[in-house]
Amino acid sequence: MAEKIFGIHAVQSVLARSPERVQELYVQAGRLDKRVQEVLDLAKAAKVNVVQRARPELDAMVEGRHQGLVALVEAAAQFQEKDLLDLVVAAGSSALVLVLDGVTDPHNLGACLRSADAAGVTVVVAPRDNSVGLSATVLKVACGAAEVVPFVQVTNLARSLQQMQQAGVWVVGMAGEAELSLYEQDLTGPRALVLGAEGSGMRRLTRENCDYLAKLPMAGSVSSLNVSVATGICLFEAVRQRIKA
């Protein structure tokens, strides 16, 4: 099955990492600036067929800003719910799981996947319902991270948290009312960091299945951060602690 990936960074990333998956590349006729040319050079090296299309034709292919590039790509291997524990167990003591409870904005998920890739996250987990999946917009915003970071949607998030706990993973949920800050929590060893949607936060059952709750200290007048910003802060605090450990 093929899917469309669009935008300069996303197309460039898949051509650099997995050129064999690119079936055809559509480029906006007349657009030959330096950034597009770099992508075309990658396509030429990979012997990918390049087709010029008028901008209205590209506009009709995808929803969102394509920046003059749309690639028809063989869909990446999808991880299933049954793969979750295998991924966690294989990572051993270095397992770092990002759990996103109720994130519905594709731009937020794409940004979270970029942070997850940079932080070396083992797997990103989200509920199947009331949560965005790997849409074309997510793939574009993720700039290639969605191609390499395992993403698993589960039927019952609370049950999946329990299964990870049984496999030795400690679950830390982010909540504004927590007594301890994230910086007071031990994030070394197998850990799952759980973040809820901006505003509503984690659902009740998700919260009840966390081993610990932690908060980000907020000195200003806003009550919460965008979930993708909070995700980056949390993941790199875990990275910082693991480097020192």
Side-chain angles (χ1 to χ4, degrees), residues 65-171:
R65 292 184 63 240
H66 51 69
Q67 298 175 298
L69 291 172
V70 178
L72 188 64
V73 177
E74 180 184 341
Q78 298 293 310
F79 288 91
Q80 305 301 318
E81 186 168 351
K82 61 182 176 59
D83 300 319
L84 175 57
L85 284 185
D86 290 339
L87 289 165
V88 170
V89 171
S93 61
S94 64
L96 178 59
V97 180
L98 172 62
V99 180
L100 299 172
D101 185 19
V103 173
T104 58
D105 186 325
H107 293 87
N108 279 337
L109 177 58
C112 288
L113 288 170
R114 289 183 69 178
S115 293
D117 179 36
V121 163
T122 305
V123 57
V124 177
V125 181
R128 198 174 301 281
D129 296 329
N130 299 315
S131 175
V132 66
L134 295 181
S135 66
T137 299
V138 171
L139 296 176
K140 179 181 184 293
V141 175
C143 293
E147 309 293 321
V148 292
V149 178
F151 177 74
V152 175
Q153 289 187 290
V154 299
T155 304
N156 187 318
L157 184 56
R159 182 177 63 201
S160 295
L161 292 177
Q162 293 166 7
Q163 291 171 341
M164 286 192 287
Q165 288 166 327
Q166 291 166 7
V169 177
W170 292 90
V171 179

